């Protein structure tokens, strides 16, 4: 009997790998997915507990037509966030504020938006870009907590070209680049009113991963506990199959440098950051009668300390974001910690991490009650450092690799799941994404 030879091999069965496998199957290709672990999903897990759902990684996706298309083809109903979750806070001067800037600072920001060229300069860091384009106050009060919360990184080590370059293609003031971005999307399908914002699924994001895994398993093949030693071995077994590497950054580099000498120099240069998340269930809310999506805590540029000594980078108010996330009368808050400036927290015990969470909470809410339970997740290498080295690595991926080998993941086009979706659809449906 002749050996089955797939058209497409995907290494990794996380969100990126399953998405590329699904879209490849939809195009009529035969697909084999090779996963190192004994189960699919990667970072994303939705765990049902007696108190409610715990998201071990992302708690939602910013909706886009690509997600609407994907959910429809998988037979999933999208869960929209509650209107109250539109309120987002930044902790400033002892309070959770929706707008931390003063009137004078807002006027100064408006002037910068209208006049200062915003395209990132070669080698410019996010910190230097923010100071040059938006001003020091907006940088420290808005940009740092926002991007620090998303990327968990040091703004002085992050590449503005890599993080912002695709949004700011012209050497023009910010308002002109925003207008250019809007015009570039005019040909794309649009979301219906009321369907924008952060969305999820009834059982959490794990529902989406489960549906992708089921579809790929039924129409293609997934092999678990498959540790790929090198690309050379894989290509020797399947010389005519195209390959997509959809692993974490470290594994992708390991596979690449075994065959392409151009990537050997990146060993030890591409850094990753640990993330710790703690979902806390209790009968009271830090917001104490208010509602909202979450709160971010600005960190000092050099010391990474924050006001009141808060160690968390941000807190998500899960039960206010999506209905049905908890049992009646119970609140769910997810504390996000770690990243640049606080790597060592990932080495602490669960008891120590929980103690830090409760200390943070009491600093914010002196009447903090007794928790019902905590669920701790530690990711040692969750996020890549979006620095100039990663920017160069991405350029080399585009320059060096042949057309039958792709590398995809959160280090390619942006950390968010929306960015991964948009990039994947641009590959498999370029007519819709143009």
């Amino acid at each position: 009997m002749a050996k089955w030879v797939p058209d497409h091999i995907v290494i990794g069965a996380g969100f990126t790998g399953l998405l590329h496998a699904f879209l490849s199957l939809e195009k009529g290709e035969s697909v084999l997915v090779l996963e190192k672990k004994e189960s699919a999903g990667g970072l994303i897990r939705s765990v049902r507990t007696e108190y409610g759902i715990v998201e071990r990684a992302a708690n939602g996706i910013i909706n886009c037509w690509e997600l609407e298309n994907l959910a429809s083809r998988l037979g999933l109903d999208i869960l929209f966030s509650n209107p109250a979750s539109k309120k987002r806070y930044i902790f400033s001067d002892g309070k959770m504020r929706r707008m931390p800037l003063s009137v004078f600072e807002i006027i100064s920001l408006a002037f910068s938006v209208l006049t200062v060229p915003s395209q990132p300069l070669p080698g410019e860091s996010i910190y230097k870009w923010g100071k040059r384009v938006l001003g020091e106050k907006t940088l420290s009060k808005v940009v740092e907590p926002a991007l620090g919360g998303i990327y968990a990184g040091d703004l002085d080590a992050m590449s503005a070209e890599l993080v912002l370059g695709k949004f700011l293609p012209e050497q023009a003031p910010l308002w002109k680049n925003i207008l250019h971005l809007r015009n570039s999307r005019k040909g794309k399908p649009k979301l219906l009113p009321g369907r924008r914002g952060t969305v999820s699924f009834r059982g959490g994001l794990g529902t989406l991963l489960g549906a992708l895994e089921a579809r790929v398993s039924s129409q293609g093949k997934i092999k678990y506990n498959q540790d790929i030693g090198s690309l050379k071995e894989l290509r020797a077994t399947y010389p005519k199959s195209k390959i997509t590497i959809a692993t974490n950054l470290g594994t992708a580099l390991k596979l690449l440098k075994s065959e392409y000498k151009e990537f050997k120099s990146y060993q030890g240069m591409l850094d990753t950051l640990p993330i710790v998340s703690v979902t806390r269930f209790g009968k009271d809310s830090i917001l104490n009668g208010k509602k909202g999506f979450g709160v971010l805590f600005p960190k000092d540029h050099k010391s990474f300390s924050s006001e009141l000594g808060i160690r968390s980078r941000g807190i998500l108010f899960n039960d206010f974001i999506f209905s049905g996330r908890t049992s009646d009368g119970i609140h769910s808050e997810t504390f996000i910690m770690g990243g640049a400036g606080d790597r060592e927290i990932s080495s602490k015990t669960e008891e120590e991490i929980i103690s830090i969470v409760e200390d943070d909470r009491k600093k914010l809410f002196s009447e903090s009650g007794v928790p019902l339970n905590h669920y701790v997740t530690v990711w040692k290498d969750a996020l890549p450092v979006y620095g100039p080295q990663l920017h160069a690595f991405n350029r080399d991926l585009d320059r060096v690799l042949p057309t039958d080998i792709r590398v995809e993941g959160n280090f390619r086009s942006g950390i968010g799941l929306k960015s991964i979706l948009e990039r994947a659809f641009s590959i498999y449906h370029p007519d819709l994404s143009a």
Side-chain angles (χ1 to χ4, degrees), residues 212-327:
L212 281 169
E213 182 184 13
R215 186 66 64 86
V216 172
S217 295
S218 66
Q219 297 180 359
K221 290 184 181 180
I222 303 179
K223 290 186 177 181
Y224 301 96
N225 300 306
Q226 302 292 308
D227 192 1
I228 309 303
S230 70
L231 276 182
K232 185 175 288 187
E233 291 177 22
L234 194 60
R235 287 165 72 96
T237 307
Y238 301 103
K240 295 183 179 180
S241 303
K242 65 180 181 179
I243 299 171
T244 295
I245 300 171
T247 64
N248 62 29
L249 180 59
T251 302
L253 178 59
K254 174 187 169 185
L255 291 171
L256 290 169
K257 69 186 182 68
S258 69
E259 185 163 350
Y260 299 97
K261 65 180 188 306
E262 291 89 346
F263 297 105
K264 290 182 179 180
S265 62
Y266 288 101
Q267 184 66 40
M269 290 177 58
L270 301 177
D271 198 6
T272 56
L273 298 169
I275 294 293
V276 173
S277 73
V278 181
T279 297
R280 178 195 192 273
F281 292 102
K283 292 190 175 181
D284 59 356
S285 166
I286 288 178
L287 290 178
N288 197 22
K290 298 179 182 178
K291 293 183 178 181
F293 188 95
V295 58
L296 294 169
F297 300 95
K299 301 287 183 181
D300 178 77
H301 170 55
K302 293 183 178 179
S303 68
F304 291 99
S305 61
S306 63
E307 206 174 322
L308 300 183
I310 301 295
R311 194 155 178 181
S312 302
R313 283 186 170 270
I315 306 172
L316 298 171
F317 306 122
N318 304 308
D319 54 300
F320 294 145
I321 301 172
F322 297 114
S323 300
R325 279 296 188 260
T326 59
S327 304

Side-chain angles (χ1 to χ4, degrees), residues 161-425:
E161 290 178 280
L162 180 58
V163 175
L164 302 174
K166 66 179 180 180
F167 305 110
L168 306 171
E170 298 181 351
Q171 193 54 271
L174 191 58
W175 73 271
K176 284 191 175 181
N177 269 308
I178 293 172
L179 186 62
H180 178 274
L181 185 64
R182 289 184 62 183
N183 290 336
S184 69
R185 293 178 174 176
K186 280 186 177 180
K188 288 187 177 183
K190 292 184 179 180
L191 296 177
L192 294 173
R195 300 183 72 88
R196 297 181 177 88
T198 301
V199 300
S200 186
F201 301 87
R202 288 290 169 193
L205 287 184
T207 301
L208 174 61
L209 271 293
L212 281 169
E213 182 184 13
R215 186 66 64 86
V216 172
S217 295
S218 66
Q219 297 180 359
K221 290 184 181 180
I222 303 179
K223 290 186 177 181
Y224 301 96
N225 300 306
Q226 302 292 308
D227 192 1
I228 309 303
S230 70
L231 276 182
K232 185 175 288 187
E233 291 177 22
L234 194 60
R235 287 165 72 96
T237 307
Y238 301 103
K240 295 183 179 180
S241 303
K242 65 180 181 179
I243 299 171
T244 295
I245 300 171
T247 64
N248 62 29
L249 180 59
T251 302
L253 178 59
K254 174 187 169 185
L255 291 171
L256 290 169
K257 69 186 182 68
S258 69
E259 185 163 350
Y260 299 97
K261 65 180 188 306
E262 291 89 346
F263 297 105
K264 290 182 179 180
S265 62
Y266 288 101
Q267 184 66 40
M269 290 177 58
L270 301 177
D271 198 6
T272 56
L273 298 169
I275 294 293
V276 173
S277 73
V278 181
T279 297
R280 178 195 192 273
F281 292 102
K283 292 190 175 181
D284 59 356
S285 166
I286 288 178
L287 290 178
N288 197 22
K290 298 179 182 178
K291 293 183 178 181
F293 188 95
V295 58
L296 294 169
F297 300 95
K299 301 287 183 181
D300 178 77
H301 170 55
K302 293 183 178 179
S303 68
F304 291 99
S305 61
S306 63
E307 206 174 322
L308 300 183
I310 301 295
R311 194 155 178 181
S312 302
R313 283 186 170 270
I315 306 172
L316 298 171
F317 306 122
N318 304 308
D319 54 300
F320 294 145
I321 301 172
F322 297 114
S323 300
R325 279 296 188 260
T326 59
S327 304
D328 290 342
I330 294 176
H331 292 288
S332 169
E333 299 163 349
T334 297
F335 292 70
I336 311 296
M337 295 173 285
D342 196 7
R343 293 171 182 264
E344 59 106 15
I345 196 168
S346 65
S347 300
K348 292 187 175 295
T349 65
E350 282 200 6
E351 291 75 16
E352 289 172 328
I353 292 170
I354 289 169
S355 177
I356 292 168
V357 164
E358 291 302 311
D359 285 346
D360 274 3
R361 201 173 193 275
K362 286 175 182 175
K363 291 172 183 176
L364 295 166
F365 185 43
S366 59
E367 301 171 16
S368 181
V370 178
L372 295 171
N373 214 335
H374 300 86
Y375 294 84
V376 180
T377 302
V378 177
W379 299 106
K380 293 284 188 179
D381 56 353
L383 301 177
V385 173
Y386 271 66
Q389 298 88 349
L390 185 61
H391 187 38
F393 178 68
N394 274 290
R395 288 200 304 263
D396 279 344
L397 288 176
D398 295 331
R399 178 181 64 85
V400 173
L401 295 183
T403 56
D404 61 342
I405 295 182
R406 288 187 176 276
V407 176
E408 300 297 333
N410 63 4
F411 49 89
R412 287 294 270 149
S413 60
I415 274 176
L417 299 179
K418 178 175 180 279
S419 295
I420 293 172
L421 269 166
E422 290 175 335
R423 180 176 170 89
F425 269 76

Side-chain angles (χ1 to χ4, degrees), residues 26-56:
E26 290 280 287
K27 288 193 72 175
E29 298 175 334
S30 56
V31 177
L32 169 64
V33 179
L34 303 174
E35 168 56 41
K36 183 177 181 179
K37 298 180 180 178
E38 60 184 19
S39 62
L43 294 178
I44 296 175
R45 292 280 193 283
S46 300
V47 182
R48 286 191 176 274
T49 75
E50 61 182 304
Y51 303 109
I53 293 174
V54 174
E55 296 283 21
R56 295 184 64 194

Side-chain angles (χ1 to χ4, degrees), residues 18-30:
L18 291 174
L19 175 62
H20 279 259
F22 172 80
L23 293 174
S24 181
L25 286 166
E26 290 280 287
K27 288 193 72 175
E29 298 175 334
S30 56

Side-chain angles (χ1 to χ4, degrees), residues 73-123:
R73 284 147 73 180
L74 290 171
L76 298 177
D77 292 325
I78 290 175
L79 177 65
F80 296 93
S81 53
N82 296 321
S85 69
K86 291 180 180 178
K87 296 179 180 179
R88 300 168 188 240
Y89 303 93
I90 292 176
F91 194 80
S92 178
D93 298 325
K95 292 183 179 180
M96 297 186 194
R97 303 175 186 273
R98 295 185 67 186
M99 173 45 73
L101 300 177
S102 68
V103 173
F104 176 78
E105 288 163 354
I106 292 172
I107 293 171
S108 177
L109 172 61
F111 180 78
S112 296
V113 167
L114 292 171
T115 62
V116 179
S118 60
Q119 185 184 51
L121 303 175

